[in-house]
C-alpha cells in the first residue's frame, strides 16, 4: 500500500467515479483502475461494487476511506514539521476566525507575525463562531479565534484561552427615536424593532446572554431581519431600520461621523451601566500535534492580550 494508492482511492471514494477521479488527479483513468485493483488484490477485498456504469463503496471501502484520511493527514503534518526545521523560514499556518474578529481584530496580529516570519504562508478562513469551533475540533485549523459560547460537546476536544475582548454597542440610525438619547432602560429594548445576526454567531450569542441577564426573553424582541454578517447588519441599521447590537470595533467610525448613534443600557434602580463585553477566545485542539509555526503565532496572541482580557463576558 502506497501513499499514492491511498490518494487515488480517496479521490474515487469522494467523486464515486473513476474517470472524474483521474481528471481531478491529472492522471489517466487506467492508472486509477490499476491502483484500485492493486489494493483489492493485495488484501483480497472489494472496495467498490461495479454496478453497470456506476460504483458504490463497500464496507471495506468505507473502513479504508476513514483510515486512509487519517494516514494522509498525519503525513501532511509530518511534512509540515520537517519543512519547519529551517528556523521558521518556511511553513504554513491555518487559522479560522469569526467574521468580526477576522475583519477587525485579527489583521493586526497577522501583520505582526508576518513582520517576524515573512516566509510563513497564512491561510485564514472566516465563518460564524460555530463553524470555526467545529473546524478547529476536527483539525482543519491550527487555531480558531471566536467570540461567544463554545458548545459543551466541543470543549472536550478544545483548549480555550482569552486573548482579547470586544464590547457590543447598541446602535441606531439617524431616524430612530433613540438617536438623540444617551441612555435607555432594559425594558425599552422591547419597544423597537431589531436587526440580528444569525444563530451560531458569537455576537448573537453574547447579546442573547446579556438579555437573559437583564431578565428579558430574547424571543420577545421584535426582530425584523436576521442577516449573516455584522457588516450587513450595520448597513441596514445605518439606513434607518431598527436597532442592533454590533461589536464596538465595527462602528467606531460611523459613531464619530454621526451616521450611527450608540445608546447605553442603564439599570435605573442602581444607576449602573450594563455593559456587554465579549471575550476573544483562542481555540486549539487539546491533543493534536502543534507545529513550530503554530507555537510562534500563539506567542504573538498571548503576549498581545488587552487589559480587558480578564473582564467578565457580561457585566450586570
Amino acid at each position: 500500500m502506497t501513499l499514492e494508492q491511498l490518494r487515488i482511492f480517496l479521490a474515487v471514494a469522494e467523486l464515486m467515479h473513476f474517470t472524474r477521479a483521474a481528471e481531478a488527479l491529472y492522471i489517466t483513468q487506467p492508472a486509477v483502475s490499476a491502483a484500485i485493483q492493486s489494493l483489492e488484490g493485495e488484501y483480497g477485498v472489494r472496495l467498490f461494487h461495479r454496478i453497470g456504469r456506476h460504483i458504490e463503496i463497500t464496507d471495506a471501502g468505507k473502513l479504508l476511506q476513514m483510515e486512509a484520511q487519517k494516514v494522509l493527514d498525519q503525513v501532511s503534518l509530518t511534512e509540515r514539521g520537517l519543512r519547519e526545521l529551517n528556523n521558521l523560514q518556511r511553513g504554513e499556518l491555518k487559522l479560522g476566525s469569526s467574521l468580526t474578529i477576522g475583519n477587525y481584530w485579527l489583521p493586526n496580529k497577522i501583520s505582526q507575525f508576518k513582520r517576524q516570519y515573512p516566509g510563513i504562508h497564512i491561510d485564514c478562513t472566516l465563518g460564524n463562531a460555530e463553524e470555526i469551533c467545529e473546524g478547529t475540533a476536527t483539525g482543519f485549523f491550527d487555531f480558531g479565534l471566536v467570540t461567544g459560547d463554545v458548545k459543551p460537546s466541543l470543549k472536550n476536544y478544545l483548549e480555550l484561552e482569552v486573548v482579547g475582548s470586544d464590547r457590543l454597542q447598541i446602535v441606531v440610525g439617524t431616524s430612530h427615536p433613540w438617536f438623540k438619547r444617551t441612555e435607555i432602560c432594559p425594558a425599552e429594548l422591547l419597544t423597537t424593532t431589531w436587526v440580528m445576526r444569525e444563530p451560531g454567531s458569537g455576537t448573537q450569542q453574547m447579546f442573547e446572554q446579556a438579555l437573559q441577564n437583564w431578565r428579558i426573553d430574547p424571543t420577545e424582541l421584535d426582530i425584523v431581519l436576521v442577516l449573516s454578517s455584522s457588516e450587513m447588519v450595520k448597513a441596514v441599521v445605518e439606513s434607518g431600520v431598527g436597532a442592533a447590537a454590533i461589536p464596538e470595533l465595527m462602528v467606531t467610525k460611523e459613531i464619530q461621523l454621526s451616521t450611527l448613534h450608540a445608546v447605553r443600557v442603564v439599570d435605573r434602580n442602581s444607576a449602573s451601566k450594563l455593559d456587554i463585553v465579549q471575550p476573544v477566545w483562542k481555540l486549539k485542539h487539546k491533543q493534536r500535534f502543534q507545529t513550530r509555526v503554530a507555537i510562534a503565532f500563539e506567542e504573538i496572541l498571548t503576549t498581545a492580550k488587552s487589559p480587558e482580557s480578564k473582564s467578565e463576558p457580561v457585566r450586570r
Side-chain angles (χ1 to χ4, degrees), residues 192-196 204 208 218-226:
T192 188
T193 56
W194 288 89
V195 182
M196 296 287 198
Q204 183 65 14
E208 289 182 359
T219 63
E220 294 182 0
L221 295 185
D222 184 6
I223 300 171
V224 293
L225 280 174
V226 176

Side-chain angles (χ1 to χ4, degrees), residues 5 17 51 64 136:
Q5 287 175 330
H17 200 282
I51 305 172
L64 180 59
T136 308

Side-chain angles (χ1 to χ4, degrees), residues 22-309:
E23 292 171 350
L25 297 172
Y26 299 99
I27 59 177
T28 65
Q29 192 272 337
V32 171
S33 296
I36 300 302
Q37 290 170 5
S38 177
L39 285 171
E40 290 179 330
E42 178 72 22
Y43 299 100
V45 296
R46 279 282 188 180
L47 299 175
F48 299 98
H49 294 300
R50 280 75 166 177
I51 305 172
R53 301 182 64 180
H54 303 284
I55 61 172
E56 292 181 2
I57 194 167
T58 65
D59 289 340
K62 292 176 182 177
L63 173 62
L64 180 59
Q65 184 180 23
M66 180 174 60
E67 298 302 327
Q69 190 61 61
K70 292 179 183 178
V71 170
L72 293 183
D73 287 345
Q74 189 58 52
V75 168
S76 177
L77 280 174
T78 302
E79 289 176 339
R80 287 176 62 186
L82 290 173
R83 283 195 290 266
E84 291 166 6
L85 294 177
N86 50 15
N87 296 321
L88 297 176
Q89 294 176 6
R90 296 173 58 191
E92 181 183 30
L93 181 68
K94 294 183 178 181
L95 303 176
S97 175
S98 54
L99 296 171
T100 302
I101 297 303
N103 284 320
Y104 293 90
W105 186 87
L106 188 56
N108 180 56
K109 310 298 184 294
I110 291 178
S111 297
Q112 185 179 346
F113 182 78
K114 287 292 286 185
R115 285 194 295 269
Q116 294 186 37
Y117 308 105
I120 303 300
H121 172 73
I122 298 179
D123 182 357
C124 185
T125 299
L126 301 185
N128 69 33
E130 190 171 303
E131 294 167 341
I132 300 306
C133 291
E134 291 177 354
T136 308
T138 57
F140 192 77
F141 306 122
D142 294 312
F143 295 109
L145 286 308
V146 301
T147 56
D149 295 330
V150 178
K151 287 182 177 179
S153 59
L154 294 180
K155 289 182 180 180
N156 295 327
Y157 306 98
L158 297 175
E159 178 182 309
L160 286 68
E161 182 180 0
V162 177
V163 292
S165 65
D166 186 26
R167 191 183 310 274
L168 290 188
Q169 294 272 28
I170 293 177
V171 296
V172 296
T174 56
S175 61
H176 195 279
W178 293 348
F179 190 78
K180 297 296 183 180
R181 298 181 58 181
T182 58
E183 298 178 353
I184 59 173
C185 68
E188 290 180 274
L189 297 172
L190 298 172
T191 66
T192 188
T193 56
W194 288 89
V195 182
M196 296 287 198
R197 283 289 306 276
E198 81 286 1
S201 157
T203 296
Q204 183 65 14
Q205 291 172 1
M206 290 303 301
F207 184 46
E208 289 182 359
Q209 180 183 333
L211 291 172
Q212 291 165 358
N213 287 342
W214 301 338
R215 296 179 176 83
I216 294 176
D217 185 349
T219 63
E220 294 182 0
L221 295 185
D222 184 6
I223 300 171
V224 293
L225 280 174
V226 176
L227 301 172
S228 60
S229 80
S230 293
E231 285 287 352
M232 295 174 66
V233 172
K234 179 175 69 173
V236 168
V237 172
E238 198 171 9
S239 70
V241 178
I246 300 179
E248 187 175 44
L249 289 168
M250 292 188 60
V251 293
T252 302
K253 181 177 70 173
E254 287 78 9
I255 290 174
Q256 290 175 344
L257 295 173
S258 295
T259 59
L260 284 176
H261 174 66
V263 292
R264 297 190 300 269
V265 180
V266 175
D267 184 346
R268 297 283 167 80
N269 295 325
S270 63
S272 60
K273 180 181 175 183
L274 303 176
D275 286 338
I276 313 172
V277 179
Q278 54 182 357
V280 178
W281 295 107
K282 178 201 71 184
L283 313 174
K284 69 177 181 180
H285 200 281
K286 290 181 178 180
Q287 296 178 326
R288 290 184 185 274
F289 171 76
Q290 202 174 13
T291 66
R292 291 183 64 197
V293 169
I295 293 171
F297 186 74
E298 188 170 23
E299 291 176 355
I300 295 286
L301 292 177
T302 56
T303 57
K305 292 181 185 179
S306 72
E308 293 184 347
S309 296

